[in-house]
Amino acid sequence: MSELTEAQALIERYRASYITVFGDPSLVLDHGDGAYVWDVEGTRYLDLLGGIAVNALGHAHPALVEAIRNQAGRLLHISNFFTTTAQIGAAEAILARADAPPGSGVFFGNSGSEAIEAALKVARRTGRPGIVAVEGAFHGRTTGALAVTWKEAYRTPFEPLLGGVSHVPFGDLDALRAAVTDDTGAILVEPILGEAGVIPAPDGYLAGVREIADDSGALMILDEIQTGVGRTGTWFAWQQLLPKGVRPDLMTLAKGLGGGVPIGALVAFGPEIAGLLGPGQHGSTFGGNPLACRAALTVLDTIERDDLMGRAVELGDHLAEEVLALGHPLITGVRGLGLLRAITLAEPIAPAVVAAARDAGFIINAPAPDALRLAPPLVVTAEELSTFTAALPAILDAATTKEAS
Ligand SMILES: *Cc1c(COP(=O)(O)O)cnc(C)c1O
C-alpha cells in the first residue's frame, strides 16, 4: 500500500472522528494571510469564498488579530448579568450603520441560525403565529430556522417542524399578497438568495414586500446574514434596494459581522418592535460576549476606515466585466452585488468547476449546479481577482474534460 500524504492521513482521522454531515473536506488548511490560505502541505490558494462570506477582513488581518489578542487578555466572557464597552459599542455601531431610529435594539447570539430564532420569537410575540418565507430561502439549520428554510432535503428528515410556515415563489408579489393573512406574524426574505445561488430580488420586490407587510400588519424580516456588513457595497443590502427612508422591521446578521469570530445579531427597528421581547423572554449564555463583540466592532470600524464597501462595488464590477469579457461559451452571466457574486454556467457542471478551480489554486463553491459563488474577503485586490479570471478558461476546460471522461 502506498503511503498516505499528510493531508490524506488527516482526512482519514477526520472521517474517523467527525459526524458525517459535510462529506469529506477537500483541503486541510493551516494558515492564511489576506485573501490567501495555505494547506498543511504548503500549497497556496486564493480564497474567493472567504469562509462563505465570513472572512470580511480576510485572514490574519492585523487589526482584528490585535483586537482579539487584546480582548482575550482582558475578558473573554462575563455572563449577561454584566456588560462591557465591547458589547455596548458593537450594538451602537450596528444601529448607527443601519440608520436605526431611537428605541431600536440589538440582540447578540452566536450564529445566523440563532439570529433567525430570535426573529421568529419576536414574530410570535405579535400574537399572529404564521410566517411566510420564499422558495429557495436558506435561514439555517436549527429547527426553527429550518422550518423557514426551503430545501426539502434539509427539512423533511426532521419534520414535524415549527408550524404555520408557508413558502411563496421568490420575486412574486401577487403570490406573497395572497399568502399573507391576519394570522401572518412576519414575512421573511433575503435581499439576495445566497444559498440558492446568489439570486438577487427583482427590482422593486423588497419595496413590495414592505407594502404588503404594512397593509397586513405583518412584520418584515430581512435576512442579511450573507448580504450584510458591507459586502454588497452598502452596510446592508436593503439600504440600496429599498426607497430612502424605508426599512425592514427586523434584520438578522451573522457571517461577516465577526470577521470569522462567531457572532449573530438581531436588529429590531424602533421601540415598538424592540419592545416585543420583554425581560426573561430570550437569552443566550455566550451571545454578546466581549470577544465576539470586540471582533465585530473591529470589523465594522475597519470596513469604514479602509472604505471596503466602496472597494466591494468597484471590485465586484471589475470581476463581472472581466468574466463577461472572456466571452466563454460556458459562461452565461454574472449576477449579485458588490463582492457577493455568482458566475452562471450553461451546463450543470459547477461542482466539477469548483474541483478544477481548487486544483488550479482557487477556492470558490457551487451553491447550485449551474452557479459558481464568489464571496471573497473585502480586502481582496483587483490583481488577485484578475488571476482567477485569467485562469478561468483553463479551469472550465479541465472541468469539462473531467465531466466527459
Ligand atoms: C448562512 C446563513 C444562515 C445561517 O447561518 P449559520 O451561522 O450557519 O447558522 C442564515 N441565513 C442566511 C441567508 C445565510 O446565508
Side-chain angles (χ1 to χ4, degrees), residues 192 254 279 299 371:
I192 299 174
V299 168

Side-chain angles (χ1 to χ4, degrees), residues 1 4-28:
M1 222 174 81
L4 295 180
T5 65
E6 187 183 354
Q8 284 166 341
L10 285 163
I11 287 171
E12 284 296 323
R13 285 170 54 193
Y14 172 94
R15 274 197 194 134
S17 60
Y18 208 81
I19 291 176
T20 315
V21 290
F22 298 112
D24 280 350
S26 59
L27 296 170
V28 185

Side-chain angles (χ1 to χ4, degrees), residues 49-62:
L49 191 57
I52 315 188
V54 167
N55 302 101
L57 303 185
H59 300 279
H61 189 288

